[in-house]
Amino acid sequence: MRTSKPFFNLQTIMTLLVCGVVALSLLVTDVLISQKVADNTQKNLADKATNIARIVAHTPLVIEALNGQRADSEIQPFANEIRQISAVQFVVVMDMKGIRKSHPDISKVGQPFVGGDEGAALKGHEYVSNAKGTLGMSLRAFTPIVTPAGKQVGAVAVGILLNNVNQAVAQSRLIIFISVGFGLLVGVIGALFLARKIKNIMFGLEPNEIAKMLEERSAMLESVREGILAIDNDSRITLANAAALRLFNKAGILGDPVGKRVTDYVPNTRMQLVLETGNAELDQELNLFGITLVTNVIPLFVNGKSVGAIATFRDKTEIKQMAEELTGVLLYAEALRAQAHEFMNKLQVILGMVHMKYYDQLSTYISRIAHQQQNEIGFISRHIKDPVLAGFILGKMSYAREVGAELVLFEECFLPEPANPEMIHDIVTVFGNLVDNALDAVVDCPLKRIDVNFSYENGVIILEVSDTGPGINNELKRQIFTKGYSTKGPNRGLGLYLVKRSLERLNGSIEIVSEEGQGTQFKVSLPYKSKDEME
């Protein structure tokens, strides 16, 4: 899975997201509350006007003046005083004919009430209305004026201009808008702080970068051949790669280990001890139900605090086999084993002939094999002057006979003793792996023959190994020296890689001559200084 780079970074995305959520929340709040606040503001003003109207209507001065017990001229000063104290626009007292007895404009006193909405009040009803009077559109609260005996003698109207009402509503909404803006500002600051905090927690990495690192980490853990097991500070397994599961399954430990205590899943790992002591244990052997593993256990620390431990495992047998192949020990061991096996076969023949008392035939057989052995040893010792390589060639000849093939050295082959004995090991690696490759090639052929020739001239040796196998196509020629590449199955493909590596170390070269159905010849050239020339 490939992760594409986002258009915005994490900090920008989080800021936009949080700001969007805050803005949407505040907008919904404004829509839901703003109208409610406006209605409440208007209602409060209406209640205020109504309360003032009731106070005026129940004032004895007003009642007595309208009932003829006082001069009606006393109403105007009282109404103006109430208007100024209550901060309303007008307090108008009228008689039952609708004639004003008070008004902010004294010239309007004695004239009929303007607006047309006073009729219901003169009939004994209390209410609030909006109408246009001499001062403009206003919110009006009407209350009838009734004597203690229950007789209505007039009505009072208290008004607040709608411009003032709208201004009060706007002020209430302004407070909401200021709160919304402040909330949005706090949201932006909080979003920036939160985004920066999360970015620091993630070491400044973007989510796509974290995803990429996780994919690469998983790929690396699954590709290594060492088993890897990690535990947390509570000794619970947090990670086990495929190689670890393969080793555990090989030992008979099945199931998913993640989440289990390491002591319950894999005994004797010493991971618990390393977790407790904080001391690493390196290159230790662990016997796991008959499988010997080489393990390294290392404590994990973050900011100086222990957070767990990690262990690597490798099958000791696999390490041993790999070491033998890489060092060439396996080549020597196989050559010696072939010689020992051939010698044991001959001893078995001699023992059988002794039991059968075929003494005459026994003498002939011993003479023949002794002669053959002397001829081989004599020929090789005359042509191959280094004793290690000579003995190795004898072993390979025995091995070839054991698998039913024939390994033939040319009559004119010759290799002097090297001035540097250490290079013989690389020559053994090159020769042994080329011969083994040739023996594999002829295993299914009717003629199983490998021809070998060593020649030395002007400080260069030429090694030629030819077989009667099926040949190599051009595609295979380009890949056979690649480590791990083989047409013979898994866990192969190391021999020719080692040949290439040895030739690189010796500054040598190799040439392949092959056609399908006509066998293959490997021709090696490498610098070589003989001991005689140096002397």
Side-chain angles (χ1 to χ4, degrees), residues 433-443 450 465-469 522:
N433 282 296
L434 289 179
V435 169
D436 287 345
N437 190 72
L439 288 171
D440 287 338
V442 302
V443 66
I450 295 97
V465 178
S466 305
D467 63 60
T468 58
F522 288 90

Side-chain angles (χ1 to χ4, degrees), residues 383-401:
H383 292 79
I384 307 297
K385 296 302 182 180
D386 183 82
V388 174
L389 182 58
F392 184 73
I393 293 174
L394 278 172
K396 279 299 178 186
M397 294 178 72
S398 298
Y399 178 71
R401 285 193 292 268

Side-chain angles (χ1 to χ4, degrees), residues 394-415:
L394 278 172
K396 279 299 178 186
M397 294 178 72
S398 298
Y399 178 71
R401 285 193 292 268
E402 184 181 346
V403 298
E406 183 181 13
L407 180 61
V408 179
L409 265 70
F410 281 27
E411 287 290 338
E412 64 273 15
C413 75
F414 178 74
L415 184 67

Side-chain angles (χ1 to χ4, degrees), residues 448-461:
K448 300 178 177 59
R449 178 183 172 114
I450 295 97
D451 293 321
V452 176
N453 186 30
F454 284 95
S455 61
Y456 172 72
E457 186 176 359
N458 297 327
V460 176
I461 61 169

Side-chain angles (χ1 to χ4, degrees), residues 171-307:
Q171 288 177 347
S172 299
R173 283 186 168 177
L174 179 62
I175 295 174
I176 295 176
F177 294 151
I178 292 174
S179 300
V180 169
F182 181 74
L184 184 60
L185 178 62
V186 171
V188 171
I189 296 173
L192 290 172
F193 176 78
L194 178 63
R196 187 177 298 275
K197 182 71 174 177
I198 294 177
K199 194 85 181 257
N200 291 335
I201 292 174
M202 297 190 302
F203 301 100
L205 297 174
E206 294 294 324
N208 66 302
E209 294 174 329
I210 295 175
K212 182 181 178 183
M213 288 180 62
L214 180 61
E215 290 176 349
E216 292 174 349
R217 168 184 172 273
S218 299
M220 288 187 289
L221 289 174
E222 296 303 327
S223 63
V224 297
R225 298 193 64 182
E226 285 76 11
I228 298 176
L229 190 70
I231 62 173
D232 60 17
N233 214 24
D234 294 327
S235 299
R236 295 193 178 275
I237 299 173
T238 58
L239 181 146
N241 69 345
L245 295 178
R246 176 180 62 83
L247 290 173
F248 296 152
N249 292 341
K250 189 176 179 181
I253 303 175
L254 306 177
D256 184 6
V258 176
K260 297 180 180 178
R261 289 195 175 276
V262 67
T263 51
D264 297 335
Y265 186 76
V266 187
N268 305 324
T269 61
R270 300 181 66 83
M271 294 184 74
Q272 178 71 35
L273 179 62
V274 169
L275 189 63
E276 294 173 356
T277 63
N279 298 323
E281 294 194 0
L282 306 177
D283 300 325
Q284 301 295 313
E285 289 191 7
L286 170 65
N287 190 290
L288 195 62
F289 300 113
I291 299 177
T292 303
L293 304 177
V294 177
T295 177
N296 294 282
V297 185
I298 300 174
L300 299 177
F301 294 94
V302 175
N303 296 327
K305 182 180 178 181
S306 175
V307 296

